[in-house]
Amino acid sequence: MAINILRDTGVPLEQQRFTWRELVQTPYNKIMDDAFTRVRVILMNGIESEALRFSHACARMNGPLQQALAQVRRVEQHQQTLVNWLNPADQNPLETTIGFEQVAIEVTASVAEKEPDPYLAQVYRFGLLEDFDHLYRYSALMDRLMGKDANTLVHSYSDIVPGRPTAVEHRHPLDDLRKPYNRAQASPLTKLHALTIMAGEHQTHDYYMTIGPMFADPVARMLYAEIASIEEQHVTQYESIIDPSETWLEKWLLHEAGEVYNYWSCVESEENPRIRAIWERFLEYELGHVRFVAQLFEDIERRDAAEVLPRQLPEPIRYQSHREFVREVLRREVTLSAVGPEFVDREQESEATRAYRDHLNSQGSPSETVAAGYVWRPGTELTDPAMRLTTQPGPRGRRAA
């Protein structure tokens, strides 16, 4: 399905309307649907969340754009509602968390593989290994709290093993800032990648900050607090790679183009025909948003939208397992850290980062505590006959059934 983002008009903004029944549709099935349907729903909720976040910030700084922003933003809010309500009620917050981390692994891996800028590809690989470890830590928490195997959710697409240990991911704020792309020289794909991953990571941070306090287990509460802190680092990293000299309208146009790119990627890969119809509908809506904002851009800035938008969309995000790529990155780059915008071996870290991390971990590390003695195995330790027969406490003090 070829998209010409400069020519395809999509659905005009004034025709983009919803009823309550349209906004609240039947969710996907967390057991029967493919894991990548969950991945797409979570990411697209993050993409729409970023659209709203940007729109409100832009409105607060640009009075003349407020009316236009309000019209598009209302549709985006309804789009986010429909997408987010596709998550099923029987999927608890920890299960959704596993889905968030699979998004961070597989989508970031797809981006890292295709990113044409070598430095930014390194940025994505660096963040990828940290999210990879978060999946392992949350899987240990799921085993601890529920006796459940996280692989029943990730469907064997992603490994559940340690990455760069979460306990060593804490860095001084100045060591999480990276070099931005150049707006005049960067490829359109580079800009779409940056917006996509920033949106996903920002949503992850906000989700963990919301649900973390809802757990009664003290280790769970601390683990969410610790990983939410890392997600804030990731948002800092990914927003810093975007050229800050882009104008507000230029950024708005790129946001809309990013939504087109991501809905199109979903259309190209979705196997559930009912969900794919939603992606197709919203792809047409976003093309309408691009046309609306492009006209504003050309009228106000007197610049051709073709300066910012690609005529043809790049290759879509690949919603598939990147196991071999991730394993290779893990083998080569797990010991990396950062000093300012540069990546260095952990032995070369700044004194500021060492001091910052040592203080945070001085009373123990939740991510180390939760995974103490945990090794992923199919079906969890409850399927191990030796563990079922023993009357001794398990590795974390739980007696086997």
Side-chain angles (χ1 to χ4, degrees):
M1 180 180 181
I3 299 291
N4 185 324
I5 201 168
L6 291 169
R7 188 186 62 197
D8 295 341
T9 57
V11 176
L13 182 61
E14 61 273 15
Q15 296 178 18
Q16 299 181 10
R17 299 188 299 174
F18 299 88
T19 66
W20 299 121
R21 288 188 179 276
E22 287 179 301
L23 288 182
V24 182
Q25 300 196 16
T26 303
Y28 62 81
N29 186 307
K30 73 172 186 178
I31 303 298
M32 301 303 293
D33 276 308
D34 187 78
F36 278 110
T37 292
R38 179 188 301 104
V39 165
R40 283 182 283 267
V41 167
I42 290 174
L43 178 65
M44 293 317 299
N45 184 48
I47 295 292
E48 291 294 355
S49 178
E50 166 60 23
L52 292 181
R53 188 181 303 112
F54 169 80
S55 178
H56 280 297
C58 186
R60 292 163 193 168
M61 302 293 287
N62 297 277
L65 292 177
Q66 287 184 354
Q67 290 189 0
L69 287 161
Q71 294 179 72
V72 176
R73 187 170 61 241
R74 184 61 50 84
V75 176
E76 308 270 27
Q77 198 276 339
H78 287 163
Q79 288 179 248
Q80 185 188 1
T81 302
L82 197 162
V83 171
N84 198 21
W85 264 241
L86 292 175
N87 285 297
D90 63 348
Q91 181 172 280
N92 66 47
L94 184 49
E95 291 174 323
T96 303
T97 296
I98 297 297
F100 268 76
E101 295 302 340
Q102 192 171 29
V103 171
I105 294 167
E106 301 300 346
V107 176
T108 307
S110 176
V111 165
E113 278 194 311
K114 294 188 299 175
E115 172 55 49
D117 184 315
Y119 173 75
L120 295 180
Q122 172 72 85
V123 171
Y124 295 124
R125 294 197 304 272
F126 185 74
L128 164 64
L129 289 192
E130 301 191 338
D131 288 314
F132 186 71
D133 193 73
H134 300 169
L135 175 63
Y136 168 71
R137 309 288 161 175
Y138 281 127
S139 297
L141 181 65
M142 178 172 282
D143 188 8
R144 170 192 176 97
L145 297 184
M146 304 168 62
K148 186 172 180 178
D149 180 1
N151 192 51
T152 60
L153 296 162
V154 301
H155 292 180
S156 298
Y157 290 126
S158 310
D159 287 336
I160 303 175
V161 296
R164 180 177 300 120
T166 299
V168 303
E169 295 171 6
H170 307 291
R171 292 175 293 275
H172 187 273
L174 299 186
D175 290 333
D176 282 316
L177 294 170
R178 309 288 172 247
K179 293 181 285 190
Y181 62 70
N182 183 310
R183 60 191 278 255
Q185 299 174 355
S187 76
L189 182 59
T190 288
K191 299 177 183 180
L192 299 178
H193 279 167
L195 285 172
T196 298
I197 301 302
M198 180 185 70
E201 293 290 328
H202 209 146
Q203 177 194 220
T204 303
H205 168 265
D206 291 353
Y207 183 71
Y208 294 169
M209 291 296 287
T210 300
I211 67 164
M214 298 178 182
F215 286 83
D217 182 90
V219 174
R221 293 171 68 86
M222 286 193 291
L223 181 66
Y224 273 96
E226 181 179 13
I227 295 182
S229 177
I230 300 296
E231 301 302 346
E232 198 290 319
Q233 292 181 215
H234 287 179
V235 178
T236 297
Q237 167 172 277
Y238 292 124
E239 69 186 8
S240 70
I241 65 176
I242 297 173
D243 191 334
S245 68
E246 292 168 341
T247 67
W248 280 101
L249 262 172
E250 187 174 355
K251 286 183 179 296
W252 188 7
L253 191 52
L254 284 169
H255 271 75
E256 299 299 346
E259 292 178 76
V260 168
Y261 175 62
N262 276 285
Y263 278 118
W264 175 64
S265 295
C266 291
V267 169
E268 292 292 297
S269 56
E270 182 62 63
E271 296 179 355
N272 182 322
R274 185 175 58 80
I275 305 294
R276 184 169 61 245
I278 294 171
W279 304 142
E280 289 170 341
R281 176 183 181 182
F282 286 174
L283 172 58
E284 293 298 317
Y285 279 25
E286 294 301 340
L287 286 167
H289 296 173
V290 166
R291 180 57 32 222
F292 181 80
V293 180
Q295 191 65 53
L296 286 173
F297 179 78
E298 293 177 349
D299 290 345
I300 295 174
E301 297 206 358
R302 301 296 181 187
R303 297 166 60 194
D304 191 336
E307 291 180 28
V308 177
L309 301 179
R311 184 170 302 279
Q312 297 292 335
L313 287 178
E315 182 183 347
I317 291 171
R318 286 182 291 190
Y319 287 96
Q320 62 187 43
S321 174
H322 294 81
R323 175 176 285 110
E324 295 307 319
F325 174 78
V326 174
R327 287 177 178 175
E328 179 62 18
V329 174
L330 185 64
R331 186 182 66 79
R332 291 187 287 106
E333 301 181 7
V334 70
T335 62
L336 287 186
S337 185
V339 174
E342 305 298 336
F343 296 104
V344 299
D345 193 84
R346 197 174 304 138
E347 294 179 354
Q348 299 173 290
E349 286 181 318
S350 68
E351 285 304 314
T353 278
R354 292 179 189 277
Y356 171 80
R357 182 167 60 227
D358 287 348
H359 181 76
L360 271 176
N361 291 335
S362 60
Q363 295 181 328
S365 164
S367 57
E368 292 296 308
T369 300
V370 75
Y374 173 73
V375 177
W376 176 82
R377 69 188 73 182
T380 78
E381 64 189 25
L382 294 178
T383 62
D384 186 334
M387 292 297 294
R388 289 204 304 270
L389 292 175
T390 184
T391 57
Q392 299 301 312
R396 285 167 303 288
R398 188 182 68 235
R399 290 183 182 277

